[in-house]
Amino acid sequence: MTSLADGDWHRLHPASPVLRGGIFVFALLGFVIANLRERFVDVVFGIPRQSGDPLDEIYERGAVGWALLIAAAILIVILIAFTLSWRMHTFRVSDESVEVRSGILFRSHRQARLDRIQGVNIVRPLIPRLFGAAKLEVSVAGQDANVQLAYLGSALADGLRRDILQLASGARQPRPVAGESVPEAPLPAGDPAQIPADTATAAHAGRRQALNDYATSRVGEFLAPELDPDAAPPESVVRIPVLRLIGSIVFSGFTVFVAVAIVALIVSVIVGGSEWLLIAIFPGLIASIGYYVSRFTKSLRYSIAGTRDGVRVGFGLLTTSNETLPPGRIHAIGVTQPLAWRPFGWWQISINKAGHSTNDGAAGQAATTVLPVGSLTDVAKVLELILPGFALDEQRVLIQHGLISRGGDDGFRNAPRRAAWLRPFSWRRTGYAVSAGAVLLRRGVLSRELVLVPLARLQSVGINQGPVRRRLRLATARLHTVTGPVTATLGVLDVGEAVRLLETVTAGAVASAESDTSHHWSRIDQDPAPTPRPASPVGPAAAAEVTS
Amino acid sequence: MAEQPVPDYPGSDPIEAVAPVGARLDLPEAGEWKRVSPKYVMVEIVGTVIFLLIVCAAAGALWLLLDQVWAAWVGGLIALITLVSLAFEPRRVRSIGYQLRADDLLFRRGIMYQRFVSVPYGRMQLVDITRGPVARLLGLADLKFVTAAASSGVAIPGLAEADADALRDRLVELAESRRAGL
């Protein structure tokens, strides 16, 4: 346990107000410096001044003293405001909750219950990262309901996250430290808890040495691997080769769009005459280069790893972000393969979750992509991480079939042949299966898709039918989960099968919710079953019981 | 159709066998559906008539003041469709039903476009009761069962006010005893 999670109020990193100002402060500084430089050049080379310049006016009227005074006053007010805002911004982590108090004139006090935590995210934007600071964000369900600690010392943020997750997991007794990353040794100089001692000793031991240490630790942190090698067992880590990442970005729908635009451009130039097309398309093309680059740098250094307190998803080259999702916080999983990725056998995994980090994920997509691109083995690994208890042979086979099977009698309950009127290509593959506390929906043949919904997280089930499907004795089924990129719908389904799905899945959802302990995923003293996951086997057997 | 589907596995259509029911979506094993108050038809009719008046006024204004002849045609068409659907209103209201089963709330509505939803009680986030002006005159209230999923959409309209309050209390009680996290 670090000293921050002891139930007392603590302050953030002293530079927080400046860092939160972020780009704005630096822009202002840049503006001032650029202007001063011009004046300096003017003075040195004796370029005649134009009248009307405010600085000259001040100089000519002899108000330099007043101007300096006002500038100093503004500076002092800003300094006081920053100091006050830092002093008033405190946080507390107790056994039950995380609390933040902030604001000078308008005080705010926000409290998040630990058993409602949906994820803990640590973001290091480039500039704070250079100063060894990180932003810790505890997300809970709800719109704009996150608790943000911006900023903390980098190593401290990691430690605090570990503590928060440990408290939230319900494991009251301290855990063995083996396998834990304990980067306590190189505490950064800007660490709030240690400030008095640090500055005092540093001042006496020689400023030069301190500065040297500071720089060394900054560089060390900056170059450190994104994922501490001790934090997760190596076999549970998935990484993406750079070439595959480039390939996945090149072979995307966006490229098709860009190619069409380029062709249009060339044709318009050859034919001549219509200049408006050039004006309309060309800036967009240049912007698209920026899109590719940002998408690439943001997805670089992607890593997914299983830790004791859930899955850690990290990414980013300059601005890094890594989020820990505790077990049972994932409401739906979608594994998709666009047509262009098919020759390479690449897949993408995205998830629905209740808590939303305010920071964008890779490539400006919301942070819901768990695996931007991966092979079939990577997919299996990641699914094992985010759906523990779903790794038996039976489920492996189901996932395999769900991803690449052409359909047929393979464990999925598929649409009947008459569904070909509505799904001429994919009717054979359109089907569902229920296994080990999760529903699998399979659909699409050109761009293939498999959706997994953990029954314990399912909100409700609906089946619909319109006039067309009535004539074909078909229906549509939809599993309702929290909002996200994954929609769990099945477009065509036999009428009787739809009714059966409604009954089976509802019964499974009720049973899974009863045995679900994921709000305190490692508490063992209360729960006789040591399974941290909703592992109630709602297999086909249980399903048959319900419907019969 | 671009492709002639050919079954490539034995017992070509195993699912055909489990559909003894007709083409219509129905839950054969479900119990008695509770229906909403027949008075709710009035609420729907008043709403539709107001919509009709607005459409007619807009179309008329476009036609007579701005001399747009097409507006009259479009307005007339919308009015005709609305009038025809008005005739089905009683039937549509009769199709709305719900039942409280052991572990879940079952809800249905629609005749042409049918929809069945089943929500386990434990998934309840809150229950909303709203009363519109017309419904209040008739002593009716609408109940909405809200889950964490926006798409659940379980809204039972046209309950007698006392029934709505009783149902709300019952649902809260059931949800409390089967509480699940998010």
Side-chain angles (χ1 to χ4, degrees):
Chain A
M1 283 267 159
T2 55
S3 53
L4 289 186
D6 53 3
D8 286 334
W9 291 97
H10 293 277
R11 296 217 171 87
L12 299 166
H13 195 291
S16 297
V18 182
L19 292 175
R20 264 203 308 276
I23 297 278
F24 177 71
V25 170
F26 280 83
L28 201 71
L29 257 172
F31 178 74
V32 168
I33 289 171
N35 275 315
L36 284 183
R37 186 193 61 113
E38 258 172 37
R39 288 208 67 78
F40 183 70
V41 170
D42 287 356
V43 169
V44 168
F45 293 99
I47 291 166
R49 293 173 191 157
Q50 295 146 348
S51 62
D53 188 298
L55 279 182
D56 295 337
E57 288 287 307
I58 288 168
Y59 184 73
E60 269 150 32
R61 291 181 187 200
V64 177
W66 284 109
L68 280 179
L69 205 67
I70 290 170
I74 291 174
L75 210 68
I76 287 170
V77 166
I78 289 176
L79 265 175
I80 289 175
F82 273 7
T83 319
L84 261 180
S85 116
W86 172 70
R87 283 190 63 87
M88 303 296 267
H89 201 141
T90 52
F91 69 95
R92 172 165 83 171
V93 180
S94 66
D95 287 355
E96 295 293 320
S97 59
V98 184
E99 286 166 80
V100 178
R101 293 192 302 199
S102 67
I104 304 170
L105 289 178
F106 297 91
R107 299 283 290 154
S108 85
H109 186 158
R110 181 169 268 203
Q111 186 173 24
R113 282 174 56 90
L114 284 181
D115 60 351
R116 293 283 156 159
I117 284 182
Q118 300 289 328
V120 185
N121 196 3
I122 293 182
V123 185
R124 295 180 173 90
L126 179 59
I127 292 164
R129 193 169 160 221
L130 289 172
F131 289 99
K135 176 158 67 177
L136 186 130
E137 191 173 25
V138 178
S139 40
V140 292
Q143 209 68 47
D144 187 30
N146 294 352
V147 176
Q148 263 202 23
L149 302 180
Y151 286 83
L152 290 168
S154 207
L156 226 71
D158 282 326
L160 187 60
R161 165 162 71 182
R162 204 174 54 236
D163 294 344
I164 289 177
L165 286 170
Q166 182 178 336
L167 288 170
S169 73
R172 286 281 177 264
Q173 59 277 53
R175 287 163 168 172
V177 192
E180 289 268 60
S181 64
V182 195
E184 304 281 17
L187 269 179
D191 149 19
Q194 306 255 324
I195 288 256
D198 256 17
T199 40
T201 48
H204 292 296
R207 234 157 241 296
R208 207 185 167 77
Q209 179 63 31
L211 208 65
N212 221 356
D213 283 355
Y214 182 79
T216 319
S217 81
R218 280 298 78 74
V219 171
E221 265 172 25
F222 198 81
L223 297 179
E226 187 275 319
L227 176 63
D228 197 307
D230 296 332
E235 66 272 12
S236 77
V237 182
V238 179
R239 289 185 195 285
I240 301 164
V242 177
L243 274 179
R244 185 189 292 166
L245 187 63
I246 295 173
S248 77
I249 295 170
V250 169
F251 291 98
S252 65
F254 186 71
T255 305
V256 177
F257 170 75
V258 169
V260 168
I262 289 174
V263 168
L265 198 65
I266 290 169
V267 167
S268 84
V269 167
I270 291 171
V271 171
S274 56
E275 279 156 356
W276 62 268
L277 204 61
L278 195 78
I279 295 164
I281 294 178
F282 201 66
L285 278 182
I286 291 176
S288 72
I289 295 171
Y291 169 83
Y292 280 123
V293 170
S294 89
R295 187 161 171 175
F296 178 69
T297 53
K298 279 189 172 172
S299 302
L300 259 185
R301 299 222 301 174
Y302 218 100
S303 77
I304 304 111
T307 64
R308 187 186 355 227
D309 292 320
V311 200
R312 260 196 56 168
V313 182
F315 58 83
L317 182 65
L318 300 175
T319 293
T320 68
S321 155
N322 69 68
E323 181 163 29
T324 304
L325 293 166
R329 263 61 176 177
I330 292 166
H331 290 244
I333 303 160
V335 190
T336 50
Q337 182 180 57
L339 187 59
W341 286 9
R342 198 164 176 160
F344 310 96
W346 291 336
W347 298 85
Q348 182 171 60
I349 303 183
S350 40
I351 55 168
N352 287 1
K353 53 186 182 178
H356 288 287
S357 173
T358 46
N359 295 283
D360 280 348
Q365 322 146 352
T368 45
T369 307
V370 188
L371 180 69
V373 55
S375 65
L376 217 51
T377 17
D378 294 339
V379 168
K381 248 174 162 180
V382 171
L383 284 182
E384 220 166 282
L385 290 177
I386 59 183
L387 257 185
F390 205 74
L392 297 174
D393 282 343
E394 187 198 333
Q395 281 90 43
R396 283 215 183 104
V397 169
L398 269 182
I399 289 172
Q400 187 87 6
H401 284 164
L403 292 177
I404 55 173
S405 166
R406 288 164 166 276
D409 193 12
D410 54 3
F412 279 79
R413 303 187 147 268
N414 293 326
R417 194 177 163 178
R418 54 183 187 275
W421 289 103
L422 293 171
R423 296 281 186 277
F425 301 111
S426 66
W427 64 273
R428 238 179 292 232
R429 244 180 75 79
T430 307
Y432 77 96
V434 184
S435 172
V439 190
L440 297 90
L441 304 181
R442 171 175 75 176
R443 60 185 183 221
V445 73
L446 291 176
S447 97
R448 299 189 280 198
E449 192 168 1
L450 175 72
V451 176
L452 297 105
V453 180
L455 281 171
R457 299 274 87 78
L458 183 69
Q459 298 297 317
S460 57
V461 196
I463 49 178
N464 298 17
Q465 190 187 49
V468 176
R469 286 185 172 72
R470 183 164 311 137
R471 280 207 62 83
L472 293 167
R473 278 188 289 139
L474 298 171
T476 310
R478 174 154 191 193
L479 310 183
H480 305 134
T481 65
V482 298
T483 323
V486 185
T487 47
T489 42
L490 217 48
V492 287
L493 191 68
D494 179 82
V495 168
E497 198 59 54
V499 171
R500 195 190 151 102
L501 177 135
L502 184 86
E503 300 284 2
T504 317
V505 170
T506 309
V510 170
S512 297
E514 267 165 21
S515 58
D516 182 36
T517 58
S518 57
H519 62 288
H520 279 316
W521 58 93
S522 358
R523 177 172 284 177
I524 23 180
D525 47 357
Q526 285 186 355
D527 201 334
T531 44
R533 273 282 309 164
S536 78
V538 186
E545 242 177 69
V546 177
T547 36
S548 62
Chain B
M1 207 158 58
E3 182 197 43
Q4 186 58 44
V6 182
D8 56 357
Y9 51 91
S12 69
D13 218 343
I15 284 147
E16 211 86 51
V18 296
V21 286
R24 216 180 159 72
L25 202 55
D26 198 12
L27 300 184
E29 278 137 43
E32 191 72 26
W33 291 97
K34 288 204 181 116
R35 302 292 174 183
V36 304
S37 164
K39 280 191 282 183
Y40 181 64
V41 179
M42 272 315 290
V43 181
E44 289 282 299
I45 287 176
V46 168
T48 315
V49 166
I50 288 172
F51 170 73
L52 209 60
L53 286 177
I54 291 172
V55 167
C56 288
L62 277 173
W63 181 29
L64 298 175
L65 298 180
L66 299 172
D67 214 17
Q68 306 282 325
V69 182
W70 59 267
W73 287 104
V74 172
L77 197 68
I78 294 175
L80 192 71
I81 293 170
T82 318
L83 276 175
V84 169
S85 80
L86 209 57
F88 286 100
E89 211 62 75
R91 176 75 188 80
R92 197 173 299 137
V93 169
R94 268 208 306 281
S95 77
I96 302 173
Y98 65 93
Q99 50 180 294
L100 303 177
R101 299 202 294 184
D103 293 307
D104 62 331
L105 169 72
L106 204 57
F107 172 73
R108 67 173 292 175
R109 77 174 302 166
I111 34 175
M112 183 106 114
Y113 291 91
Q114 276 186 296
R115 174 178 154 88
F116 287 79
V117 181
S118 139
V119 201
Y121 297 125
R123 272 21 173 223
M124 184 190 93
Q125 297 291 327
L126 60 97
V127 177
D128 229 359
I129 289 188
T130 48
R131 298 177 177 87
V134 183
R136 205 158 48 206
L137 278 178
L138 296 166
L140 298 180
D142 300 348
L143 182 142
K144 197 171 174 195
F145 188 100
V146 181
T147 68
S151 47
S152 285
V154 177
I156 310 172
L159 294 165
E161 275 180 15
D163 286 359
D165 289 344
L167 183 60
R168 175 193 59 200
D169 295 343
R170 178 88 187 110
L171 285 172
V172 170
E173 185 190 321
L174 284 166
E176 203 56 43
S177 65
R178 293 166 176 78
R179 215 181 146 82
L182 189 59

